[in-house]
Amino acid sequence: MRKSRGLYRLVYSDENLTEAWYQVRTRSAETPGADGITLTQFQRYLFRELRALQRELAAGQYKPLPIKITRLKKADGGYRPIGILAVRDRVAQRAVLNVIEPLFEAEFEPTSFGFRPGRSREMAMDYVAMWVNRGLTWTVHFDIERCFESIDLNRLRKVVAAKIRDKALRKLLSAWLSPTAVYSSRHKNPLHAVPVEGLVQGSPLSPLLANVYLDQFDKACRRKAIQIVRFADDVLLLAHTQQEAREHFAIALKILKRLKLRVNASKTRFAHVEEGLEFLGGTLVFDEETGAWMPYFPEKEDATESAESPVDRVRELALSAEEFEGNNNGDALRS
């Protein structure tokens, strides 16, 4: 495993910045950030832009621009805030992600599957089936309400600082954990930059940082012998009996409360596996021949989508934001 000292130079190396650019170019939306520069415009002067970014990073003078926030209408009628970073900031974040992700990945719990390289929804359902076949047939399915926006950035800074010893890299991460934003508006006059609460959905680093924060929940559950399977903010708790499921869920709620997170009560469901289990677009079916519960995805499309990478999901959010802006399907967010 890489040492966490001396990592900063790796961030702005020629090789890493070039790789970060190609990752942003192939997995990000054309939509410009607060500076109005699109991917195509950035690419037109690519050498100049990357060299300028490299010089700023090397000299410790890099400062992220405010994040443009728009909102995407959800199926339930609500809105999800989506952050659109300036292209230069997407490249910088991706460069940092390439360096620090292996450090955190090495210590994440095996019960976490969302937004992680080499892990998928199918793998999560395989894990669920394994525990059900071992007798944990009572389940509690719940999700963490407004997870990204509710993350305590002060606490997250401390968790990150405990892992990243490189002072320059810590300083850079701290700047991204103290973000400001401008809100997408139909008015000609731009709105003033305002502080952002929690993590911004749509940035390259946010999925990893969300997992860094939620890993505290995962580890606390393991210490309490509570069996969970987590995919980002979607959680399935498994237990031997209904009573055990209720007791363990109560403990899980207390752990989340300490992290200043809460569960969406309207989406919480207690059930025995024989009553039907829906998780991550899949379910479990009993195989008479083997006498075991097996994962099953009703549609092939669900299985294909479940294998998307963390960055693909970020791209999905960014592209959704672009489509939202292009169609102008809602009122501007107000600060």
Side-chain angles (χ1 to χ4, degrees):
M1 184 177 69
R2 294 178 185 173
K3 294 181 179 180
S4 58
R5 294 180 185 272
L7 293 177
Y8 189 62
R9 290 184 180 181
L10 296 177
V11 170
Y12 59 84
S13 70
D14 289 345
E15 181 182 359
N16 190 40
L17 279 181
T18 301
E19 177 65 20
W21 157 250
Y22 282 113
Q23 289 167 326
V24 168
R25 181 64 187 136
T26 57
R27 302 172 181 179
S28 186
E30 180 72 16
T31 311
D35 59 359
I37 298 175
T38 65
L39 280 171
T40 299
Q41 291 168 334
F42 189 92
Q43 186 174 23
R44 189 174 301 156
Y45 304 101
L46 181 60
F47 182 82
R48 185 187 71 185
E49 293 288 353
L50 290 183
R51 280 291 174 262
L53 178 59
Q54 185 179 50
R55 285 194 297 270
E56 290 180 22
L57 288 168
Q61 297 174 346
Y62 168 83
K63 292 183 180 180
L65 294 171
I67 300 168
K68 186 169 72 173
I69 303 288
T70 188
R71 62 179 187 173
L72 178 68
K73 192 169 184 178
K74 299 190 294 185
D76 61 6
Y79 289 89
R80 175 189 292 115
I82 302 296
I84 305 173
L85 279 66
V87 177
R88 66 191 293 275
D89 295 333
R90 294 179 221 172
V91 174
Q93 282 206 10
R94 184 69 225 192
V96 169
L97 179 64
N98 290 344
V99 172
I100 70 171
E101 187 173 52
L103 292 174
F104 290 104
E105 272 291 325
E107 296 186 3
F108 282 158
E109 293 295 307
T111 53
S112 166
F113 291 87
F115 299 136
R116 295 185 60 186
R119 292 193 156 218
S120 67
R121 296 181 185 182
E122 288 90 350
M123 292 172 68
M125 285 301 294
D126 286 340
Y127 201 71
V128 170
M130 179 189 75
W131 286 109
V132 168
N133 287 319
R134 291 182 181 182
L136 278 69
T137 53
W138 280 93
T139 66
V140 188
H141 185 194
F142 60 94
D143 67 25
I144 301 169
E145 190 172 48
R146 300 180 70 249
C147 180
F148 277 66
E149 304 99 298
S150 300
I151 286 175
D152 183 344
L153 294 186
N154 287 326
R155 182 166 185 150
L156 179 56
R157 286 189 202 98
K158 294 177 182 178
V159 175
V160 170
K163 184 66 178 174
I164 304 297
R165 299 179 183 178
D166 186 302
K167 290 183 179 180
L169 186 51
R170 255 198 336 246
K171 180 181 177 182
L172 180 57
L173 287 164
S174 182
W176 284 322
L177 290 174
S178 305
T180 57
V182 289
Y183 288 81
S184 178
S185 173
R186 297 176 184 175
H187 300 291
K188 294 182 180 179
N189 296 326
L191 301 178
H192 294 295
V194 296
V196 173
E197 293 185 0
L199 290 174
V200 175
Q201 293 191 60
S203 79
L205 272 173
S206 287
L208 172 65
L209 293 175
N211 271 332
V212 169
Y213 193 81
L214 292 173
D215 188 58
Q216 299 172 98
F217 172 69
D218 301 341
K219 284 179 166 49
C221 285
R222 173 175 54 78
R223 288 192 293 268
K224 296 289 186 180
I226 298 174
Q227 184 57 55
I228 62 167
V229 179
R230 183 177 64 80
F231 195 101
D233 58 358
D234 204 357
V235 186
L236 187 72
L237 184 154
L238 300 106
H240 293 91
T241 65
Q242 184 178 31
Q243 179 64 26
E244 182 180 75
R246 294 190 179 280
E247 291 173 355
H248 284 185
F249 181 58
I251 297 171
L253 289 180
K254 291 179 181 179
I255 296 170
L256 289 172
K257 185 176 181 180
R258 289 199 296 269
L259 295 173
K260 298 184 179 180
L261 300 172
R262 61 184 183 182
V263 166
N264 188 331
S266 65
K267 295 182 179 180
T268 300
R269 180 174 184 260
F270 287 79
H272 190 275
V273 65
E274 292 181 351
E275 298 174 35
L277 170 66
E278 295 181 3
F279 187 54
L280 306 177
T283 187
L284 294 182
V285 295
F286 190 75
D287 187 322
E288 297 288 349
E289 292 185 5
T290 62
W293 291 93
M294 306 289 289
Y296 171 68
F297 288 86
E299 298 179 6
K300 184 178 181 180
E301 289 77 12
D302 289 338
T304 301
E305 291 176 1
S306 70
E308 68 182 359
S309 72
V311 179
D312 288 337
R313 175 58 177 151
V314 173
R315 180 170 185 257
E316 176 190 331
L317 292 174
L319 289 171
S320 298
E322 180 181 25
E323 179 183 2
F324 173 82
E325 282 198 317
N327 294 335
N328 214 11
N329 288 332
D331 296 328
L333 275 180
R334 304 290 184 177
S335 58

